[in-house]
Amino acid sequence: MPESTVTNAAAIDEQELDLAWLRQKYLEERQKRINARGNSQYIEVKGDFSRFIDDPYVDGPLVRDAVAETVEAIVIGGGFGGLLAAAELHKAGIKDIRIIEKAGDFGGTWYWNRYPGAQCDIESYIYMPLLEETGYIPTEKYAHAAELFAHARRIGEHFDFYPRTHFQTQITELRWDEAESHWVARTDHDDTIKARWVLSASGPLNRPKLPGIPGVDRFKGHTFHTSRWDYDYTGGHSRGGLTKLADKRIAIIGTGATAIQCAPYVAREARHLYVVQRTPSTVDIRGNRPTDFEWAKTLPSGWQRARMDNFNQLVSGIYADVDLVQDGWTFLFGEMTLAHLAEDRAKLSAEELARLTELADFRKGNQIRARLDKVVKDPATADGLKPWYGMMCKRPTFNDDYLEAFNRPNVTLVDTKGRGLDAITETGIVFDGVEYPVDCIIFATGFETGTSYTRRAAMEVYGRNGETLSQHFAGGLRTLHGFFTDNFPNFFMLGLSQNGFKPNVTDMLAEQSEHVVGLIAAARATGATRIEPQPEAVDAWVGTIREKSEVARKFLATCTPGYFTGEGEIDKGVFVDTYGDGSVAFTALLREWREAGERSGLKVW
Ligand code: NDP
């Protein structure tokens, strides 16, 4: 776009937007939500609360004999991350593996999250991994939970992973054996499994959390967390039919991505639904549609990788001639990152770029709020549902039924205006002196973040000389490229870490698996048995991550609290430690590092 057009567009925006008012409003709404307790406002799910994490999909605890075995590699986690890591090992000829999975089947997120309406919200053609390898085409642009779960099982069968997996099993500790140059894993079934390599893909959002609302343990009605949906209580399945709710008053606590998806289904069946909101989500258009299988037939070999790359380029703010996915994400990120200005960016000062970004943000926020006024009939409810914060402060959501649900006479928004509920009694929920009697409370309150790696992975890792990973990370995460750390040879962490974040997480996990397994394969080819980063390289990478996170930190400090901001403790925010120049630059950095040959900073011996 020529510079004059850029400037004109910005000038028009400024006239249309009341910038001073918007800035003040965002600030005021943020103030209401600051909670001095930060992450400690949440209850760790254990002890009396552990029923919230019991597995409702198996016939009780698994009873089996302990095993003692030696394999080449252990993969921790059987979600898409673990499956991708195992698939890469398989392709590299490393077939003597053991996948350890705490659930009763593969699927990870999609094993646990079977709540009604659960759906991937990154397009399924790029989100569902290994489509070409498994010969599968999803049935919808955004596939629903059962199809996602079935695809995880399909991958498990395709690569024959079932006989090589211990389900309903958790590693409790990993210990490095220096003399033998291998890891010794112990599990909650008293297994002892030795392996040269360990790839950990335990997932960043795997431990449900509960809000520490006074009285949360006093409620005498029914309760569950969305990631353990109780269909015995509600009736139905993940596509609806919750007929047992016909005489029930339900409260859903939370209005994040999960609540947005399940609330419309509960609204349809319950006698009454109270949606308890602390901070509204941004809810944009979804536009799901069935797959055109004629189109699918025309897809050339390599289409999935090309589509993933195109999506990632656009959501990284890099201009592309074509937008293959064309959905809320590519439109949103395109606008927010000013992707259309990519070629002109160099001509703009930092101040001008910041100004244009702020305008784009306010403009998008106004669109979201205008949609609400159009869809929600009661003006007070529409007002209550309006989000007032930067679009990237919280996870954006996309849904075509959630806002409509508030037009039903049996649905009430309990807008706690940033404060959260005041109390839970034996029979209901309380806000501002009003008690709402309910039969069931559904916690759509999300998952632990900002706690230690080992707590979320529910295991301790003992490196060389018995140092624990908890001790090693006590002062913050320290890795080389997010994958490994000094003193813990052959231990690879996959997932959200000090690496390049991609909104399409399965694409990110595929790339990470390929990289890490490539390193293992190269080491094996030379007869090496150890891979470990040098401490100086780790220190340097931590410095790079820190330096490149300054822009994100500054932005997050302006945001309403949530797990992006570590509930106000920016250092605990989920994306703060990721590579600040973005995933495209990170991918290029890894490629150059590999191609340079010497793999600087890594000891392989
Ligand atoms: P979130 O952490 O996003 O949302 C938790 C919700 O609970 C928030 O609305 C939060 O309010 C609210 N809450 C917390 N404490 C209280 C309280 N004391 N009183 C009232 N409300 C409270 O969890 P989700 O399960 O919705 O989503 C987690 C993540 O999982 C998503 O961000 C997304 O990454 C992923 N996800 C992906 C999906 C997909 O791809 N299809 C679908 C669903 C989830 P507040 O905002 O004020 O903190």
Side-chain angles (χ1 to χ4, degrees):
M1 192 185 279
E3 208 170 336
S4 58
T5 324
V6 172
T7 317
N8 283 346
I12 292 164
D13 263 340
E14 273 197 72
Q15 283 161 17
E16 283 173 359
L17 298 166
D18 188 342
L19 290 181
W21 185 85
L22 280 165
R23 283 182 190 133
Q24 184 59 25
K25 177 74 177 166
Y26 280 28
L27 202 66
E28 282 168 12
E29 292 292 328
R30 174 175 179 272
Q31 276 320 110
K32 288 183 196 168
R33 291 173 173 80
I34 304 285
N35 184 333
R37 289 162 68 207
N39 244 335
S40 65
Q41 68 182 283
Y42 297 106
I43 297 169
E44 184 177 358
V45 180
K46 60 179 186 185
D48 287 349
F49 292 99
S50 55
R51 68 192 161 83
F52 282 96
I53 49 170
D54 287 345
D55 185 343
Y57 315 118
V58 291
D59 298 329
L62 176 73
V63 180
R64 66 163 171 81
D65 291 336
V67 297
E69 57 190 1
T70 302
V71 291
E72 175 97 36
I74 290 173
V75 175
I76 304 176
F80 281 142
L83 288 166
L84 281 160
E88 278 307 322
L89 288 167
H90 184 94
K91 288 187 219 166
I94 305 171
K95 298 186 179 168
D96 181 20
I97 64 168
R98 204 58 82 233
I99 302 175
I100 310 292
E101 168 55 60
K102 73 176 169 196
D105 206 335
F106 292 123
T109 297
W110 304 107
Y111 176 90
W112 298 110
N113 288 279
R114 305 183 190 192
Y115 59 82
Q119 197 182 4
C120 61
D121 71 345
I122 297 289
E123 190 197 58
S124 54
Y125 314 128
I126 57 171
Y127 175 77
M128 290 168 72
L130 301 166
L131 288 180
E132 290 190 72
E133 287 84 342
T134 54
Y136 185 71
I137 296 289
T139 61
E140 298 176 280
K141 190 166 171 73
Y142 303 95
H144 280 77
E147 188 170 351
L148 295 156
F149 178 33
H151 188 59
R153 299 204 309 270
R154 180 177 299 111
I155 295 170
E157 269 158 21
H158 180 85
F159 291 98
D160 200 22
F161 289 148
Y162 276 92
R164 289 180 280 166
T165 303
H166 292 311
F167 290 108
Q168 289 186 264
T169 301
Q170 266 189 285
I171 293 184
T172 49
E173 71 161 55
L174 275 172
R175 227 173 247 279
W176 175 249
D177 182 331
E178 178 74 2
E180 297 293 330
S181 190
H182 64 204
W183 286 98
V184 182
R186 297 197 198 280
T187 75
D188 55 358
H189 285 279
D190 290 330
D191 307 315
T192 305
I193 308 169
K194 297 174 182 169
R196 173 130 302 147
W197 319 101
V198 175
L199 291 79
S200 178
S202 50
L205 298 171
N206 75 35
R207 275 178 69 109
K209 71 177 180 338
L210 294 174
I213 300 167
V216 65
D217 51 347
R218 286 179 51 210
F219 185 63
K220 293 262 191 285
H222 199 68
T223 52
F224 56 90
H225 188 274
T226 46
S227 65
R228 306 287 190 275
W229 194 271
D230 187 349
Y231 284 107
D232 284 342
Y233 181 82
T234 65
H237 43 78
S238 65
R239 298 303 290 269
L242 315 177
T243 50
K244 290 191 184 172
L245 296 185
D247 61 347
K248 301 285 192 298
R249 297 155 304 177
I250 310 290
I252 294 182
I253 301 187
T255 52
T258 298
I260 301 295
Q261 291 185 337
C262 69
Y265 287 79
V266 177
R268 243 169 260 156
E269 309 286 354
R271 180 174 138 205
H272 203 94
L273 168 63
Y274 297 97
V275 178
V276 180
Q277 172 185 280
R278 193 164 67 173
T279 312
S281 282
T282 60
V283 187
D284 209 342
I285 295 164
R286 171 76 301 170
N288 195 15
R289 54 177 184 266
T291 297
D292 173 354
F293 285 98
E294 290 308 311
W295 160 78
K297 281 185 204 153
T298 67
L299 293 168
S301 168
W303 68 268
Q304 194 183 24
R305 173 45 53 208
R307 198 172 177 94
M308 284 173 171
D309 288 346
N310 175 257
F311 177 85
N312 194 53
Q313 182 173 335
L314 286 164
V315 298
S316 301
I318 301 169
Y319 177 80
D321 286 334
V322 59
D323 175 357
L324 294 170
V325 170
Q326 297 204 31
D327 75 348
W329 289 105
T330 57
F331 299 152
L332 172 67
F333 275 82
E335 283 170 60
M336 299 306 302
T337 57
L338 310 172
H340 57 288
L341 300 183
E343 286 182 12
D344 281 305
R345 276 209 201 143
K347 295 184 204 151
L348 299 170
S349 65
E351 292 73 27
E352 183 62 357
L353 255 181
R355 192 177 74 85
L356 292 174
T357 307
E358 186 190 40
L359 290 178
D361 202 327
F362 283 146
R363 187 175 49 208
K364 187 71 202 171
N366 277 358
Q367 273 172 25
I368 296 281
R369 292 182 284 269
R371 176 171 185 241
L372 258 155
D373 283 329
K374 229 164 76 191
V375 178
V376 179
K377 297 204 172 89
D378 173 49
T381 306
D383 262 353
L385 286 164
K386 284 180 186 160
W388 299 98
Y389 48 81
M391 290 298 298
M392 299 301 170
C393 285
K394 278 185 179 273
R395 161 95 175 193
T397 75
F398 306 89
N399 193 287
D400 297 334
D401 302 314
Y402 176 72
L403 300 179
E404 279 284 355
F406 290 93
N407 293 330
R408 302 179 64 99
N410 66 328
V411 177
T412 304
L413 174 70
V414 181
D415 178 10
T416 68
K417 299 181 178 8
R419 195 166 87 207
L421 287 176
D422 293 329
I424 294 179
T425 64
E426 289 187 1
T427 52
I429 56 172
V430 181
F431 181 68
D432 241 0
V434 179
E435 177 167 0
Y436 303 83
V438 293
D439 302 296
C440 172
I441 298 176
I442 300 173
F443 291 99
T445 42
F447 304 87
E448 250 190 57
T449 56
T451 49
S452 75
Y453 181 87
T454 43
R455 172 167 151 174
R456 287 197 313 279
M459 65 176 179
E460 189 52 276
V461 187
Y462 298 85
R464 194 178 286 115
N465 305 325
E467 188 197 14
T468 66
L469 201 57
S470 308
Q471 289 162 344
H472 197 67
F473 288 163
L477 205 57
R478 37 177 287 110
T479 70
L480 175 61
H481 300 159
F483 303 125
F484 20 58
T485 189
D486 51 310
N487 220 22
F488 294 79
N490 299 0
F491 179 69
F492 304 89
M493 292 166 283
L494 304 174
L496 203 52
S497 180
Q498 293 174 326
N499 38 33
F501 170 69
K502 293 182 173 182
N504 182 9
V505 171
T506 54
D507 174 15
M508 179 182 88
L509 291 165
E511 181 184 353
Q512 294 181 356
S513 301
E514 218 174 294
H515 175 72
V516 159
V517 173
L519 295 177
I520 294 173
R524 283 173 93 237
T526 64
T529 57
R530 293 176 204 207
I531 297 177
E532 184 185 351
Q534 287 162 331
E536 310 76 47
V538 171
D539 290 339
W541 186 249
V542 172
T544 303
I545 290 291
R546 179 79 212 190
E547 184 193 315
K548 291 191 185 291
S549 70
E550 285 312 318
V551 177
R553 280 167 197 277
K554 248 167 114 178
F555 167 71
L556 289 169
T558 69
C559 283
T560 189
Y563 74 86
F564 282 23
T565 70
E567 300 293 346
E569 295 173 70
I570 304 292
D571 276 338
K572 294 188 174 166
V574 280
F575 301 116
V576 163
D577 254 349
T578 60
Y579 185 65
D581 287 354
S583 64
V584 173
F586 182 72
T587 302
L589 180 145
L590 282 190
R591 193 185 322 110
E592 280 160 28
W593 181 81
R594 282 191 305 261
E595 285 169 2
E598 81 248 32
R599 317 257 150 112
S600 71
L602 203 64
K603 275 195 320 187
V604 180
W605 77 107

